[in-house]
Amino acid sequence: LGFVGYVGEFEQLVLFALVELGAEAYGGAIREAIERRTGRVVSSGAINTTLGRLSERKLVRSKIGEPMAGRAGRPRKYYAITPAGARVLKESYATVQRMAGGLLARLTDLAEEEV
Amino acid sequence: MNGRRVPRVLSWLAARLVRGPEAPFVLTDLDDCHDRDLTRGLPPWRARGRYAFNLIASALSLQAERLRPSGLRPSWVDVKLGLRMLVRYPVLTTVAVLTLAIGIPVGVAPAHLVDALEAPLPVDEADRVRLIRYWNVETIRTSPTSVADFHRWRDTLTSFRSLGAFRMTSYNFDPGTGQVVSVRGAEVSASTFAVLRVQPLLGRPFAAGDDRAGAAPVAIIGHDLWRVHFGSDPAAVGRTIRLGGEPYSVVGVMPAGFEFPAVQQIWLPLPDGSTGNPPSDRPVAVFGRLADDTSPESAEAELVVAGRDLAMAGATARERVMPEIVPTAFLLMGGLPKSGFRGLPEYPLIRLLTLIPLLVACANIGLLIFARTATRSSEFAVRTALGASRARILTQVFTEALVLAVLAAGVGLLVVRAAMDALVMRGMAAAGETLPYWVDFSLTQATVVRAMALAVLSAAIAGVVPAWRVTGRSVHQNIQRARAHRSGVRFGGLSSALLVVDVAIAVAAVSFGIGLAEQARATMENGEAAVGIEASQYLSAEIRLPGATAATGATSSDLVVLRTRLASTQRALLDRLQAEPGVRAVAIASALPRMDHPIQLVELDDEELAPGARGHRVRTALVDVGFFEALRHPILAGRSFNAADVADGASSVIVNTSFSDRLLGGANPIGRRVRYVSRGSGSRSGWYEIVGVVGHLGMHVLTPDHDEGIYHPAPPGAIHPVRLAIEVGDHPEQFTPRLRAIVADVEPHGVVVEPVALDRVYEGDSYLIAAIALGCMLLVGILLTLAASGIYAIMSFTVAERTREIGIRVALGADRARIAAHIVRRAILQLAIGAALGMPVAGRIFFELQEDAGHPSAILAMLMALGTGAGAMVLVGLVACVAPTLRALRITPVEAVKVEG
């Protein structure tokens, strides 16, 4: 496949959330999934921006849901990871892992030294 | 949801802050998040806080998304559309390319020229090679450096790895054939070639002993000299040449293109006092290669400290002179401050002025693109309705304009390159002028980048501004107007105002052009007549004597010695020439008739100039006592100069008839007094008494019969370089070899420069006339093109605006010829109003530009110029009407019927 591109840390979080949520991946759910798994507070704006950029790169696709009565007839927008997105995520995550391979123990030592 | 709804105020805020196509999904997400927060047990106040936080973050991210450059990035489709537009609107393309091809190169010219003139030497690590000079803070000029300075700096400065020194001079060069030519050369320290890291192509560089007294005289020659005089023969090394009559052995040949420091072809060792050879008091230039890890600033700091120590020790009296380190390119530009051309106060103004043609071009092209964009408003309306954002449409129009501008910048740069080669370089070569070897005016990457930056700027001005106005209305309005086939864009009074300005500019440009053409014609025609003497009988030549300039710090006794030496040489030369068979007379002056004489300011004895007043502008010359007699130029009133006039304390001057006519109103000038007023400080010289009046001898190449002139008597030795006019009869140039021989006899190092018949002396400045004429023609051309393009833009826009109206008339059966006549009549009326309002302005400009503007012939010329300018502009305006009118007349009745207005 050659060069598949690379995604940053936050983009990886968003893409992993899409993998977890499957067909139920919309803004609110994605935010909650990230917060639940990482403990990080993230804003809807950051998630929307990231999803927009990933869509431009064709790493995710979106689908507009049915209008919802409880939401003044407004629909949700559902996102799904594309095969290209899955490849990029896999490669990006593997890159970090390869880089970190065997270094965690040393990293721990260094972090303690700092303290 | 379940009674736990988002507070109304937050919903209201969300509806206002979250806008755009993504808004519904974002609002749903915000509500979802709020519900989930409550579901997982967060207290309502916290859920509301998180809602507010998410709302602001979402609104900001949507706004940022709208402003993201990627949304404005031109696509390849836009570029293709832009290329198609070039073909579809050929007139707009032609006008835009023509005007931008002028505006963009003119805009980048100052930076390009400065880069070329300040370029480093073409040597290894050139930025490490620097010049050391003295800067006089009072005169704002450099002060000469001496061999003693060179020795001191060489021995004390640690910031430089090595130092070299040189002085430029000229030699009477004889390759051994007996034929003598003047060649520019330099005396250089033995270290020079090592500092520059340039080795001879053949032979060796100078060695330490070459500059010692009694050493065998050696020379290194340039590649061109070797090629021309020795046929590139490697055996030239070791041959003997003669310089100023003395034999020198050639020890080396420098590689092609090496002409250090400027245009030199011969190098001799600089006599170096430190090796037993007394250094002369002539100034030298000192340069060096900075030591590793030393910046020019720290080197200069060391230099200043060293200078201060010397001053403390009383070794130097230089109080207002500071040593400084500058790029090597500054060595030929003594008045240039350390900050270079860009540091001159005039530079920003020049840059601004050179951007004016581009701004005018952009305004005109903007109008044309406005007209084109306005006629395409229906296209934009449909695209907007289909979801294209305003930014998207602006990007498209910008890209179309950018395609035009880049094309124009390319054309402009190519034309400039061709013009540089064809006109400037060849012109200079024809005039015998050569640029320093490191100056290269060819296009550089930096210039191309600057031109492209200006192209982007032009596209932004000419493309985006009109599109912004056209797309500014709502989609609804646009669609309504599109249905009515109207752009809805009006100029109002602006078009009339622009027309007036354009017509005025055009008329002024034509007037200016006609005035210049007349002056150039007169100059050429007056070539022989205006000198007022039998110029064809005289040989003119300049004699330069080496060592005629004193270094900084030269004492007054040094100057007396120097002047005495020059005086004895001049006397000896005059005696020899007067004794020469065939020589009838010899005139000596600082400038000969028709040459450019320096300008000074004077005040008269009966006037008291206000402190800030400038005084009268006059041209001056120093002449020897028998000057007018030698030229057989009659004294019209008073007397000629005599020996008493050059005695100490004498103050006689002779003026020309322009001086007495213009400054004294024709009154008798004999006995009147004048004195000089300094331009800078306003200080006055002593008074000079007018003792005689002569006719015009021509004091400037362009204005042979205009300038007010003052002639000062000068004793021998006071003028250097001296210019001789030797009366020898017909074909005076045949006397040149004899003159060279006599000069070489009297002073072996004296160089004869530019020997030419006196009636052709102005031809030496012909490159100047050509350059001025070319520059003015270019200026007139630029002004005319810009004005014409502006008129074209406005006319074609106003006619295009009426396309619909014309279509309906045709559809209703109106006579096409009558409609066409109606349009043309209206156009002529608009232009006539423009001309009527613009011509008085142009007339005023004409009077400001022309001398003798009150003369009947000048008024006739002005009327002709105004008529020609206005006529030309009416023609351009009519041509601008033709294409839109024809387009309007082609509209079919079916199309017209569809229109509801």
Side-chain angles (χ1 to χ4, degrees):
Chain A
L1 284 175
F3 180 70
V4 290
Y6 187 80
V7 284
E9 186 249 2
F10 191 70
E11 288 166 322
Q12 288 183 31
L13 297 186
V14 172
L15 287 173
F16 273 123
L18 295 190
V19 174
E20 182 197 339
L21 295 168
E24 280 304 305
Y26 57 90
I30 297 167
R31 189 180 79 134
E32 197 189 74
I34 295 174
E35 284 189 356
R36 180 168 32 82
R37 278 177 169 264
T38 63
R40 262 165 69 169
V41 176
V42 292
S43 80
S44 300
I47 291 176
N48 288 335
T49 307
T50 307
L51 285 169
R53 290 194 182 156
L54 292 170
S55 297
E56 264 178 31
R57 291 175 65 186
K58 299 195 173 19
L59 301 181
V60 302
R61 60 169 172 262
S62 63
K63 186 179 79 176
I64 294 169
E66 294 298 316
M68 294 159 60
R71 297 275 179 260
R74 291 190 306 254
R76 279 183 183 140
K77 198 171 192 177
Y78 292 92
Y79 293 88
I81 188 164
T82 61
R87 278 196 299 275
V88 170
L89 178 60
K90 207 174 145 201
E91 180 58 31
S92 300
Y93 181 61
T95 304
V96 174
Q97 279 191 318
R98 280 198 298 275
M99 191 63 215
L103 296 175
L104 284 180
R106 218 168 133 195
L107 187 64
T108 312
D109 293 346
L110 286 170
E112 276 166 8
E113 258 177 44
E114 280 292 311
V115 171
Chain B
M1 191 180 277
N2 300 335
R4 298 180 299 175
R5 295 171 66 89
V6 176
R8 218 174 263 176
V9 63
L10 285 178
S11 301
W12 179 85
L13 260 180
R16 261 136 205 87
L17 290 178
V18 179
R19 312 288 283 264
E22 290 289 308
F25 318 118
V26 173
L27 290 172
T28 309
D29 271 345
L30 288 173
D31 288 348
D32 282 345
C33 290
H34 183 255
D35 288 352
R36 280 168 175 269
D37 284 344
L38 291 174
T39 309
R40 66 190 169 107
L42 284 187
W45 63 269
R46 217 166 141 209
R48 270 182 235 133
R50 280 169 60 88
Y51 183 95
F53 167 70
N54 277 324
L55 167 61
I56 293 166
S58 298
L60 287 176
S61 75
L62 285 175
Q63 191 60 32
E65 203 60 24
R66 270 198 287 277
L67 296 174
R68 257 179 72 195
S70 66
L72 298 173
R73 203 175 295 143
S75 67
W76 176 235
V77 176
D78 290 336
V79 175
K80 280 201 282 192
L81 194 63
L83 289 170
R84 208 175 297 150
M85 286 288 172
L86 295 182
V87 183
R88 204 168 143 198
Y89 293 87
V91 178
L92 191 155
T93 304
T94 311
V95 171
V97 169
L98 205 62
T99 49
L100 285 180
I102 292 168
I104 291 174
V106 171
V108 296
H112 180 69
L113 292 178
V114 166
D115 280 355
L117 291 173
E118 291 184 358
L121 295 173
V123 297
D124 182 37
E125 289 189 70
D127 58 326
R128 309 288 301 159
V129 181
R130 299 274 164 155
L131 197 68
I132 306 178
R133 68 178 191 181
Y134 283 122
W135 182 254
N136 187 323
V137 291
E138 196 168 71
T139 60
I140 322 178
R141 283 196 69 79
T142 52
S143 287
T145 40
S146 65
V147 173
D149 291 320
F150 168 51
H151 289 160
R152 198 176 64 250
W153 287 330
R154 188 185 58 188
D155 298 341
T156 58
L157 293 182
T158 55
S159 310
F160 284 87
R161 178 195 286 263
S162 52
L163 285 181
F166 65 87
R167 68 165 71 101
M168 290 183 275
T169 182
S170 298
Y171 299 106
N172 289 324
F173 167 71
D174 172 4
T177 58
Q179 201 177 19
V180 178
V181 288
S182 292
V183 176
R184 294 190 214 200
E187 292 175 346
V188 298
S189 64
S191 56
T192 292
F193 300 113
V195 174
L196 296 173
R197 295 185 184 163
V198 177
Q199 289 299 308
L201 181 71
L202 297 171
R204 63 166 176 91
F206 292 130
D210 286 338
D211 53 4
R212 196 169 293 141
V218 292
I220 292 175
I221 59 171
H223 196 273
D224 286 353
L225 209 64
W226 178 54
R227 185 172 49 79
V228 172
H229 293 284
F230 296 99
S232 302
D233 180 6
V237 175
R239 290 236 197 116
T240 299
I241 57 171
R242 284 182 177 276
L243 300 174
E246 290 171 21
Y248 285 80
S249 175
V250 176
V251 295
V253 176
M254 293 310 287
F258 180 85
E259 297 176 19
F260 182 81
V263 292
Q264 273 48 39
Q265 282 293 317
I266 289 181
W267 296 270
L268 299 189
L270 179 73
D272 185 339
S274 62
T275 49
N277 196 349
S280 75
D281 53 1
R282 291 171 56 204
V284 292
V286 182
F287 68 105
R289 187 174 284 275
L290 290 169
D292 292 341
D293 305 327
T294 304
S295 68
E297 291 74 26
S298 58
E300 189 169 296
E302 188 195 4
L303 193 64
V304 171
V305 170
R308 196 178 296 142
D309 292 347
L310 278 169
M312 298 275 283
T316 177
R318 299 180 189 115
E319 286 174 2
R320 299 174 197 85
V321 179
M322 292 291 286
E324 60 181 23
I325 289 172
V326 292
T328 43
F330 285 36
L331 69 94
L332 297 183
M333 293 171 271
L336 199 61
K338 196 177 162 188
S339 49
F341 286 103
R342 288 184 171 86
L344 293 175
E346 299 85 4
Y347 186 73
L349 184 69
I350 291 170
R351 289 223 62 179
L352 204 64
L353 284 176
T354 53
L355 284 177
I356 288 176
L358 182 65
L359 290 177
V360 177
C362 285
N364 291 339
I365 298 161
L367 277 177
L368 285 170
I369 292 182
F370 201 173
R372 184 172 82 178
T373 312
T375 56
R376 289 165 66 198
S377 57
S378 54
E379 172 199 333
F380 296 144
V382 172
R383 289 197 52 191
T384 310
L386 290 174
S389 67
R390 190 180 187 186
R392 184 71 201 82
I393 290 173
L394 289 180
T395 309
Q396 183 195 326
V397 179
F398 169 75
T399 312
E400 289 168 18
L402 188 63
V403 170
L404 256 181
V406 168
L407 176 71
V411 170
L413 290 178
L414 286 178
V415 168
V416 167
R417 200 180 75 167
M420 284 304 290
D421 288 348
L423 299 173
V424 180
M425 303 314 267
R426 281 188 202 167
M428 287 190 74
E433 293 290 319
T434 325
L435 285 170
Y437 79 115
W438 77 84
V439 175
D440 181 6
F441 284 124
S442 53
L443 286 184
T444 60
Q445 208 176 353
T447 299
V448 173
V449 169
R450 285 191 198 107
M452 289 307 151
L454 284 186
V456 173
L457 179 74
S458 312
I461 298 173
V464 176
V465 175
W468 184 267
R469 277 205 66 182
V470 172
T471 56
R473 294 179 300 271
S474 70
V475 176
H476 181 67
Q477 266 181 316
N478 273 342
I479 294 173
Q480 268 196 337
R481 288 185 184 281
R483 278 188 64 212
H485 293 266
R486 279 199 321 233
S487 71
V489 180
R490 290 280 184 278
F491 275 122
L494 185 64
S495 65
S496 310
L498 287 172
L499 260 185
V500 171
V501 173
D502 272 330
V503 172
I505 290 174
V507 174
V510 173
S511 312
F512 187 52
I514 289 175
L516 276 174
E518 176 58 31
Q519 212 166 50
R521 189 189 59 78
T523 306
M524 293 302 179
E525 275 190 3
N526 289 344
E528 288 183 32
V531 179
I533 54 173
E534 284 287 331
S536 61
Q537 306 287 304
Y538 290 81
L539 175 71
S540 90
E542 183 180 314
I543 312 294
R544 284 191 198 149
L545 302 175
T549 322
T552 301
T555 60
S556 56
S557 63
D558 290 340
L559 294 175
V560 169
V561 170
L562 181 67
R563 186 170 278 204
T564 310
R565 188 163 71 82
L566 288 177
S568 65
T569 310
Q570 186 178 320
R571 278 200 201 94
L573 185 61
L574 192 62
D575 289 347
R576 280 290 305 271
L577 283 170
Q578 282 170 339
E580 183 72 16
V583 172
R584 296 176 209 154
V586 181
I588 297 175
S590 58
L592 293 173
R594 293 302 303 275
M595 285 179 177
D596 197 5
H597 291 49
I599 295 173
Q600 295 196 58
L601 299 174
V602 293
E603 69 177 346
L604 302 168
D605 51 8
D606 62 346
E607 64 186 1
E608 189 68 37
L609 288 176
R614 277 168 48 86
H616 307 284
R617 193 171 155 277
V618 297
R619 289 185 183 273
T620 62
L622 296 173
V623 300
D624 73 329
V625 168
F627 179 76
F628 298 108
E629 290 75 11
L631 291 179
R632 304 188 198 288
H633 194 59
I635 303 294
L636 302 177
R639 63 170 177 84
S640 184
F641 292 130
N642 56 44
D645 291 324
V646 292
D648 283 345
S651 59
S652 313
V653 293
I654 289 177
V655 298
N656 67 10
T657 45
S658 280
F659 185 99
S660 58
D661 290 350
R662 293 207 189 139
L663 299 190
L664 302 173
N668 180 14
I670 306 301
R672 296 289 299 272
R673 294 185 308 154
V674 294
R675 64 178 174 181
Y676 291 98
V677 184
S678 160
R679 277 164 200 260
S681 62
S683 61
R684 266 64 171 166
S685 71
W687 288 103
Y688 292 93
E689 186 184 343
I690 300 170
V691 298
V693 180
V694 292
H696 280 288
L697 277 169
M699 302 185 95
H700 187 248
V701 65
L702 286 178
T703 50
D705 52 358
H706 263 85
D707 296 286
E708 297 88 330
I710 300 182
Y711 295 90
H712 288 262
I719 306 172
H720 186 267
V722 289
R723 293 197 168 91
L724 306 180
I726 309 161
E727 192 188 1
V728 286
D730 292 335
H731 309 298
E733 275 142 356
Q734 290 174 356
F735 186 69
T736 305
R738 190 66 203 129
L739 175 64
R740 285 192 197 281
I742 292 170
V743 170
D745 241 18
V746 172
E747 166 58 66
H749 294 290
V751 174
V752 178
V753 183
E754 294 171 1
V756 64
L758 189 56
D759 61 337
R760 291 179 54 209
V761 79
Y762 73 95
E763 288 178 5
D765 289 328
S766 61
Y767 76 93
L768 177 72
I769 301 176
I772 292 172
L774 190 72
C776 293
M777 270 166 56
L778 206 65
L779 186 66
V780 170
I782 289 169
L783 289 173
L784 266 180
T785 312
L786 293 180
S789 70
I791 290 169
Y792 184 90
I794 297 164
M795 293 313 298
S796 62
F797 182 81
T798 47
V799 177
E801 268 293 292
R802 299 178 59 214
T803 308
R804 263 313 99 184
E805 172 204 333
I806 297 161
I808 297 166
R809 284 178 180 225
V810 173
L812 293 176
D815 179 20
R816 284 163 190 255
R818 278 188 63 189
I819 290 177
H822 176 71
I823 293 170
V824 170
R825 209 163 43 232
R826 194 166 151 174
I828 289 177
L829 186 70
Q830 272 182 308
L831 287 165
I833 295 170
L837 294 171
M839 275 163 78
V841 181
R844 181 74 221 161
I845 296 170
F846 184 88
F847 271 89
E848 291 294 327
L849 290 174
Q850 295 290 310
E851 292 181 36
D852 299 333
H855 196 269
S857 66
I859 292 174
L860 186 68
M862 183 194 74
L863 290 177
M864 272 179 61
L866 292 178
T868 315
M873 291 308 108
V874 169
L875 200 66
V876 169
L878 291 180
V879 170
C881 295
V882 171
T885 308
L886 288 179
R887 205 162 47 233
L889 290 176
R890 275 199 300 270
I891 291 171
T892 62
V894 178
E895 280 176 298
V897 168
K898 283 183 190 167
V899 176
E900 291 175 28

